[in-house]
Amino acid sequence: MDVITLGESMLRLSPPGHERLAQAVTLEMRFGGAESNVAVALARLGLKTAWLSRLPDNPLGQRLIAELRSHGVDTSGVRMVAGERLGTYFIEFGSPPRPNRVVYDRANSAMSRMGVADVAFDLIAQARWLHLSGITPALGESCRELTLAAATFARNKQIPVSFDINYRALLWSPQQAGQTLEPILQQCDVIFSAHRDAQNLFGAATNAEQAARELRARFGCKHMVLTIGEDGAIACTPEAMSQQAAFHVANPIDRIGAGDAFDAGYIAAQLRGLPLDAALRFGNAMSALKMTVPGDLALISPTEIEQMLAGSKLASVR
Amino acid sequence: MDVITLGESMLRLSPPGHERLAQAVTLEMRFGGAESNVAVALARLGLKTAWLSRLPDNPLGQRLIAELRSHGVDTSGVRMVAGERLGTYFIEFGSPPRPNRVVYDRANSAMSRMGVADVAFDLIAQARWLHLSGITPALGESCRELTLAAATFARNKQIPVSFDINYRALLWSPQQAGQTLEPILQQCDVIFSAHRDAQNLFGAATNAEQAARELRARFGCKHMVLTIGEDGAIACTPEAMSQQAAFHVANPIDRIGAGDAFDAGYIAAQLRGLPLDAALRFGNAMSALKMTVPGDLALISPTEIEQMLAGSKLASVR
Amino acid sequence: MDVITLGESMLRLSPPGHERLAQAVTLEMRFGGAESNVAVALARLGLKTAWLSRLPDNPLGQRLIAELRSHGVDTSGVRMVAGERLGTYFIEFGSPPRPNRVVYDRANSAMSRMGVADVAFDLIAQARWLHLSGITPALGESCRELTLAAATFARNKQIPVSFDINYRALLWSPQQAGQTLEPILQQCDVIFSAHRDAQNLFGAATNAEQAARELRARFGCKHMVLTIGEDGAIACTPEAMSQQAAFHVANPIDRIGAGDAFDAGYIAAQLRGLPLDAALRFGNAMSALKMTVPGDLALISPTEIEQMLAGSKLASVR
Amino acid sequence: MDVITLGESMLRLSPPGHERLAQAVTLEMRFGGAESNVAVALARLGLKTAWLSRLPDNPLGQRLIAELRSHGVDTSGVRMVAGERLGTYFIEFGSPPRPNRVVYDRANSAMSRMGVADVAFDLIAQARWLHLSGITPALGESCRELTLAAATFARNKQIPVSFDINYRALLWSPQQAGQTLEPILQQCDVIFSAHRDAQNLFGAATNAEQAARELRARFGCKHMVLTIGEDGAIACTPEAMSQQAAFHVANPIDRIGAGDAFDAGYIAAQLRGLPLDAALRFGNAMSALKMTVPGDLALISPTEIEQMLAGSKLASVR
Amino acid sequence: MDVITLGESMLRLSPPGHERLAQAVTLEMRFGGAESNVAVALARLGLKTAWLSRLPDNPLGQRLIAELRSHGVDTSGVRMVAGERLGTYFIEFGSPPRPNRVVYDRANSAMSRMGVADVAFDLIAQARWLHLSGITPALGESCRELTLAAATFARNKQIPVSFDINYRALLWSPQQAGQTLEPILQQCDVIFSAHRDAQNLFGAATNAEQAARELRARFGCKHMVLTIGEDGAIACTPEAMSQQAAFHVANPIDRIGAGDAFDAGYIAAQLRGLPLDAALRFGNAMSALKMTVPGDLALISPTEIEQMLAGSKLASVR
Amino acid sequence: MDVITLGESMLRLSPPGHERLAQAVTLEMRFGGAESNVAVALARLGLKTAWLSRLPDNPLGQRLIAELRSHGVDTSGVRMVAGERLGTYFIEFGSPPRPNRVVYDRANSAMSRMGVADVAFDLIAQARWLHLSGITPALGESCRELTLAAATFARNKQIPVSFDINYRALLWSPQQAGQTLEPILQQCDVIFSAHRDAQNLFGAATNAEQAARELRARFGCKHMVLTIGEDGAIACTPEAMSQQAAFHVANPIDRIGAGDAFDAGYIAAQLRGLPLDAALRFGNAMSALKMTVPGDLALISPTEIEQMLAGSKLASVR
């Protein structure tokens, strides 16, 4: 196993095109969640990945399993439980100046009741990398505990841990989030965050470079990686600092999951031993291509990334 | 106001055609619930109706309101609350020998937390008829209380109360249901039940006529109406007894809501002062036509019912 | 040119599946009309056909032309006029006991204003057969005139004329229809009618055989052909009489155009010189297969008809 | 009742996406008309609105009623008549440099035959505002009369009247329009027009400010409001003049109804007593958001407008 | 590994509903093939299964892999090759009397060029059961060889081999098929065939019982299983003979794959050690339920089979 | 006959919107090929056109015929053959920076086996213009021969021949293409090429003007026309040289077929005797409008081209 991730994945229901919920009569049914998105993106890049979670043992939970399995993600460590529900979210796709609108219906999901006892530590022990995110601790007390337990377990086994802060304003306040995440982040090797979230949660500097440097020191991690919207991303290690511009996406089809695709690209680069700027460019390319694909999932092949990083500009090949 | 109904209405999500959730990528989005279905059916028959409930004040709750309003149902008495959820159910349409399959995700809905204080008694006071069902008391303690309160209030105001037992096996046991419903049924004038449910909950006789007679006596109601599947329906009053055969539906498109359509037809007939067999035939016609319409709602016009009751057999008119 | 037909074709808009107009948000866009349906059915059977009409020279009229042309029908004789409208009808597909429902919006169509001067008599002169129907004279005075003129022109040229009575209750009364059609029918060689319409318009006998015999004598035609629903069809010539049972269609997909398909089969049989029972069976087979195809058009190949008439019962070939 | 509007609403049929009528096989079915669009936009902003018109009492007219009712518009004053037709238009959505293409099929609609006797003056008498448009007088003589009658009636009751000139080149010439509208405009308090139309119909100045000033004086109205495309809108009252830039819409989804949304925003602002620039910005925000929503209707909530006017730039909230 | 299957799976493209290719503008994209259908059906019943084949390494081949993987089938033994094509078939769904129509475009597929060297014998060695079919030898000489090689290999390892004759008239003649399959069948333990095919290929008796007895003796297999359409299936072993009636399917949604589902049920029963009539009833239940599911795949759960075999008759559960 | 074209047309299957094959469950079914695209574009501009090819006589080949016929293209010279296949391609529509992706499945198509004997030279002899392309010679030896034969035949009859080089990198190398096409190009009067292809195949100059001049001299043609992407197109004749800028297409819907539309515009201009810059502008306008229409086909009317060339900027007309 190359990479194992742990977190919640949800049923995602969206009106087609730019319709609003106020007028739709059909909904597109997809599935997604930050950590399973990372697992899928890495699997399609050719890595062996697994995902840990807790799901209802009903047609919806089984369908989510099937979706992930279709992309090659190992789901043998997912805990299936009867009589619970799958977290759900509705998303209306806006078009500027109308923002996307998310309606969460995720309270009391099977995942929100996951506890340390549900974690397949034996699978984590066999992985080369563990990826977590800041959404899990927001789901409840037991989830907070298991996130810390998983990070600590991996660190003790000398398995690198990456962590995406992924702040969700609809789930908790910046204060709660900052306070809860701080001890977990102390156990992590690679930390991803939107620069804006880092400012809200940890009072990071408005200068991204300075922010990255200070946060890396504060959490004692090897890589502090900040994404800065159209300005791309910046990474800081004890030895180096690099910033790489984002690729331009003229007409984004679906932005959801772009950050997860970035994480996947950056992690893949680490596992291949690429230098810092190559890792950022890999992440940026994954993020840009993701935005052109409907759904949460980065259905991108290694060849497509290579061609993009090689600067190919073809409109079509035939 | 002619008829007021009170109950839960849900988001209904179904794969198109005969697809299973295991393979669908779009879901048809409709809305339905026993009591709102009755209100819609009556509104389309030309009666003034209103529906009382408790809904989340979000795009899903608002959409449900819009749906009901489009059919002419008054929703001014619905309580809209922030931060809650809309009950949801998924339905796969089978084809014999594969049954329809329902997956409920309705726990903790806004309606399940409705209490007596949320009921617009002033609207009930202005109605000529109140319709309730046995689903509401199954949603929780506060819902049980408000159902009893509403029935009692109407009786005190001499407003006739109809009640459909609508037993839901996924919500409670026959024992719980029978015990809970008994005191409520004592306050009702017209009671509808599937004969089978009456047997399970109240130990009714296997002979439908006998069952109707005994239950009417037991609950002290004016009309005890039992539906008996393909065998139609039977009604018993202190003065009379009538059984009418069901209309044949060769290839039902969507059976959900057929019972509610029956109730609406029977109630409409009562308000028009029709005799017992006409009322049963009105209900049977509504039920049969409903089964030919996709969705929970009986989108049937008075003319269509008249033509059917008059025996028209045309395949198409042009 | 083998067969030329003349009449109105319309935009046909229908909700998908069994939805009602009260709930649909998309409409299927097709095109159809009795005489163009006959032309298409014959073209797909391999005959050279043309259709005469009058259409608006706008995207809808052009689209109708394209549809017919795609099936091989010659439309060079259609009169295209600016600033007029295409007749339109909406059809809801019911399911027994709910009938199909047609909403006509066909008044003031370009076709309804066609006159004798618009008819391409030179094309008729080159055909081996002319087909007309009783819908055209119902569209207005000028249409009545041109129908008579076309039939008379063909008879004078010794071109056989077939005529389907096609009574439309939403357009005129049986009395008006019967009176108007009588002189036209005197000019025709092959007359098709539903037995029921023949009773309503011409007081035909309830016994189909007797009706066919009497009507043939009354109109002086060579073939009087009556369709009798599930009982098939009966044909009477001066020399012979034959009745053939309909093929069973368990679950009709779309009945519209089945009568036109019957006409096409019967006409094709005449042009091939087949005997009377073969002609009826050809018509019955066309009608039955048409009912399995969505839309007005009988998209049936000669091979399919042959296999059906040869008694093939395969569920699928592979 | 806050606002009452009067006018024609039509069945709108459009090929999906950017398809042309020449290739489409399904059509999206929506409904819209300038004045009903204003009523819906205002109703969704929380105002009590009603719409007056004349419709066929068939499934299409009833469906239009249901659509408007779903958004909360009172349709009790609409005159339903048997045997008439609903105006229809087809719209192909282009993409620059290909323009949208509208094919009208609206002649002889039920609304075009509305007369003064069909107007529910009693409802107008109870409203705080009346909104009319220049499309109605273009529909025929009786419609011209009733527009003038309605405006005069409201003025006599001291109910403010707004009027959108809404010039339709496919219905009449600038000369006819200018001449017909002049006496009606004399009865109005708030006049909306595209600057370009004002130039064509009334020879307004090419300088928008000058045009607004002169037209206000000419018609004797309180507010003369001109929209100037990407340049936003300008308003002139006896006391003030204000111009506000349009909000940028990078990729408009559906421009139809944007002007009506502007009117609704401006009217809502008047009823709230907002100053001139706030009213224009409200209108501009409504117009911009409308362009991101498929269909004629401005399905925009008060919160969304507030967030936009407050300068929120979020791509999505979650 | 419980069961391993080997064969061709294809891209399946079908017009929606009952549309014909002559009118469709979209095609439903699914995947299916006799042996992969068996693997999927067994996987969904809870068995560990794998499928062996040869596929193009392009988005279509990868999509097929993803589909199978989603259902839990192990595809690690599939040989992916660049520059080849995926076999494709188009299917029009008829409605009686119109048969389904298949258009094959399967020549020169990657699978048709599979050879013995492409077979993952190591995976077969680990399985408890091998399933093959008579389609593979029809694909070409190398496929004929590998089918024999696989069957012989398994027999030598004492792994039971099942074989479905699956005669395809569009691929070869009964004579070619009979002659080619005879030596392969000698290596098999369980042989499935339609009774009709057994008559055509091997001159089996018209009496099904006699045919089963004689064929079992001729091929020296343990189980000779014949399906007899509506009459169910018959199985003959050295010790016993059993016939079980088919379950009635009033309105089959999609018959493709029903035979494969039967095989899967029978094989599952063998692996559970069930008696002969239970095995036939299991197969019959799988076949009947499959016909209610769109697509080739038997998406049926163990619970659903149990309920059906237990005689449940519910129309829906809620 | 004005223009006759000869070449391959294919079944084109594409996921809806921006979906990838990895996630699609339906495919849009269209048809297209360079030379049939030119024929359709010219037919819709009002010219009489025909197309020559070789097709399987099955529902797919017949459907392609129907599509072309619907647009008015004469297909009487197409050779229909049993037992062969229709070339197919799958196209995923990207969005920058993700390119469109084409998966060809066109080997062994019926067209690839066309030979000189299949060409309807009698139809070519009646045409005013012949159009060919460099795709045909890439399909195989017999296709190379017939392309040369057709060009030579036309030249001998003094029928102008246009030829679009249309280099396809997935079919052959630049070297093969250059060498094969050189002798054919010697027979042509009007040669179209992307400037980039001319550089790759014939070592043309990077300066487009110089390239056009040199290539014209090399091939001895009357018009050498180079397209230069966003920079428009350049044409060189013995007497003149002209370059015209492309029209801006902000958001191309479907670029496939834009080059063919350009060719059609240029050819139409030649047949109308327009000067060089008018011909280029006609071609550029056709190309730009094509990019706004889904599918390969340029469904553009003469009026639309005129309005565009006249500089109309309307967003919609109504």
Side-chain angles (χ1 to χ4, degrees), chain D residues 91-119:
Chain D
I91 177 163
E92 286 181 342
F93 285 96
S95 180
R98 178 161 65 89
N100 292 345
R101 177 163 185 186
V102 168
V103 177
Y104 274 142
D105 180 15
R106 65 191 295 179
N108 300 310
S109 67
M111 175 63 205
S112 72
R113 296 170 179 169
M114 190 176 186
V116 172
D118 295 314
V119 179

Side-chain angles (χ1 to χ4, degrees), chain A residues 21 24-25 27 63 85 105, chain B residues 24-25 27 29 63 85 105:
Chain A
L21 284 166
V25 298
L27 295 174
R63 174 67 190 284
R85 71 181 298 263
D105 180 13
Chain B
V25 299
L27 296 175
M29 174 160 99
R63 175 66 190 283
R85 71 181 297 264
D105 181 14

